[in-house]
Amino acid sequence: MSKLFLSVLSFLLLFGLSFAAHGGSWQQGQCQISRIDAREPSIRVRAEAGVTEIWDFNNDEFQCAGVSIHRHRIQAKGLMLPAYHNAPVLAYIVQGRGINGVLISGCPETFESSQQFSKEEGERTQRFRDKHQKIGHFRQGDIIAIPAGAAHWSYNDGDEELIVVVLQDNSNQANQLDQTPRSFFVAGNPARSQQQYGQQGQGKSGNVFRGFDVQTLVDVFGVDEETARKIQGENDERGHLIKVERGLQVIRPPFSGEEEYGRRDAANGLEETICTAKNRENLDDPSRADVYNPSAGRFSTVNSLTLPILSYLRLSAARGVLYRNAIFSPHWVVNAHSIIYATRGGARVQIVNHKGQAVFDGQVQEGQVVVVPQNFAVVKQAGEQGFEWVAFNTNDNAMINTLSGRTSAFRGLPASVIENAYQISSEEALRLKNWRQETLIFSGRRSSQTGRVATA
């Protein structure tokens, strides 16, 4: 067997492993993008307690990144019914607060009541004690990680509308189906939702119990046929977001504000199991910023080093805040696609491909999404109202290289290389190399000196 053959075989094996690491669903030409747009949701799915807005995952940018994105708007006392997905999910809480549960078979029911509750049914009295898997509190600024296939639910226990932006990584290795986003509901009658997602097919649709025989459900759950049909949700018209008028009664520890989100539970000795792993981190807290410029803004990241469950999902996230006219250094993401959701204000964003062509040069406003493919160069400059965003990255430890600033790749070049590459004098080369002393976030031409984002 020749050395050449062995070399080619080794390359193919390595390529295959690298290819499989992000789902094995890449197709040649999928990222040949000549134009990128700032996208808004194209579909609205209404339900009793709110609405879900969906971006068209068939757009070239989403197909390139292998992701889909949607946004829930849940009213106060609204419950999002349990569902699981064919790919891992990262959710960012744009507004509001609530509680949620992530259900994984085999994990213990660690939340339990020591009191017995009575429930009268005619002349019969039943006594029972409830227990269930753990429930978590979440608030504005939280990133929540949910593994593929893990059923989860959420409830808005606050007084304002709950807004949640959700990224689903369809090209992740955990998804063995195609790149179509699929939601498998465990309750309710989400037929409309499934149709709007492009999941329509032959015959009726509904939750997963809908396809089972009624008698099978009677035998499995020990209930009568009427209850079995209610489990199937055939006549339930409330949709996937339902109203709980009297409030949701569950077993949960008291909410303790900032302490609940502190670093106390980051090393509790139980992080090695999926059942007890911490699955959320707050990115809105200015004190945890990774980069901070008092006159320009801040930048915070969460990855598998700060939230270990992300190594299992192979995803990460970042949160950026730019003050008025401030600039986020021109850069590229080395090892991930970056999906940017604007949470406040607006900015001019420029994205350049490998041919030096601007595939996007325009304004990105609150509520819009723009995809930055891996290695495409990008720069952001905030407008008069400042700019805030959250970025979802398709790597659990996404890394960036900057093109300007004190720690940039440009700064690492010898002055002589710059001089000859750009045909400028040695003095101009040194000035070009050393002019920016900031690292990542630059003060703009009229940047606010107050250290605060101007409000609209």
Side-chain angles (χ1 to χ4, degrees), residues 43-62:
I43 299 170
R44 292 172 60 87
V45 182
R46 296 189 179 278
E48 179 186 57
V51 61
T52 295
E53 301 163 312
I54 306 162
W55 278 257
D56 185 359
F57 69 92
N58 289 308
N59 287 324
D60 290 344
E61 305 98 305
F62 295 119

Side-chain angles (χ1 to χ4, degrees), residues 4-21:
L4 176 61
F5 176 79
L6 289 173
S7 297
V8 172
L9 180 61
S10 298
F11 171 78
L12 290 175
L13 286 172
L14 287 172
F15 177 79
L17 289 172
S18 176
F19 168 64

Side-chain angles (χ1 to χ4, degrees), residues 26 46 60 70 88 95 100 110 125 136 168 182 194-195 250 288 300 327 333 361 374 415 418 446 456:
W26 177 83
R46 296 189 179 278
D60 290 344
H70 57 275
Q95 175 184 295
N100 76 323
T110 55
T125 300
Q168 186 169 324
R182 289 177 168 85
Q194 292 170 331
Q195 290 169 0
V250 295
R288 72 173 304 282
S300 305
I327 300 171
V333 182
D361 183 356
Q374 179 185 4
I418 298 173
R446 293 184 301 275

Side-chain angles (χ1 to χ4, degrees), residues 366-396:
E366 180 178 338
Q368 293 183 322
V369 171
V370 64
V371 176
V372 183
Q374 179 185 4
N375 292 150
F376 281 43
V378 58
V379 63
K380 311 178 189 75
Q381 180 163 23
E384 291 295 321
Q385 304 303 318
F387 183 58
E388 300 182 16
W389 75 93
V390 61
F392 302 98
N393 302 312
T394 59
N395 189 296
D396 62 284

Side-chain angles (χ1 to χ4, degrees), residues 53-125:
E53 301 163 312
I54 306 162
W55 278 257
D56 185 359
F57 69 92
N58 289 308
N59 287 324
D60 290 344
E61 305 98 305
F62 295 119
Q63 288 293 305
C64 171
V67 303
S68 56
I69 192 164
H70 57 275
R71 179 173 61 207
H72 299 299
R73 295 181 177 272
I74 306 174
Q75 299 170 7
K77 296 184 179 180
L79 171 67
M80 185 174 70
L81 293 176
Y84 58 93
H85 309 287
N86 59 318
V89 160
L90 273 188
Y92 176 76
I93 310 302
V94 179
Q95 175 184 295
R97 53 168 287 177
I99 59 174
N100 76 323
V102 179
L103 314 175
I104 300 176
S105 293
C107 290
E109 299 163 341
T110 55
F111 283 33
E112 57 185 344
S113 172
S114 60
Q115 298 178 345
Q116 290 189 345
F117 298 91
S118 298
K119 182 178 180 181
E120 296 184 0
E121 296 181 353
E123 299 178 355
R124 194 173 49 172
T125 300

Side-chain angles (χ1 to χ4, degrees), residues 217-258:
L217 297 180
V218 170
D219 295 338
V220 168
F221 290 106
V223 296
D224 56 30
E225 287 193 10
E226 180 183 358
T227 302
R229 295 187 187 279
K230 287 183 178 180
I231 292 173
Q232 291 182 323
E234 185 171 352
N235 298 316
D236 192 339
E237 299 296 329
R238 296 174 297 171
H240 61 296
L241 305 172
I242 67 170
K243 197 80 168 179
V244 184
E245 294 292 350
R246 296 183 179 180
L248 199 65
Q249 302 300 316
V250 295
I251 303 165
R252 53 173 168 162
F255 178 69
S256 53
E258 293 297 328

Side-chain angles (χ1 to χ4, degrees), residues 404-424:
S404 180
R406 193 176 71 243
T407 58
S408 68
F410 202 86
R411 189 72 171 263
L413 287 172
S416 182
V417 172
I418 298 173
E419 176 185 346
N420 287 276
Y422 299 112
Q423 302 181 73
I424 58 179

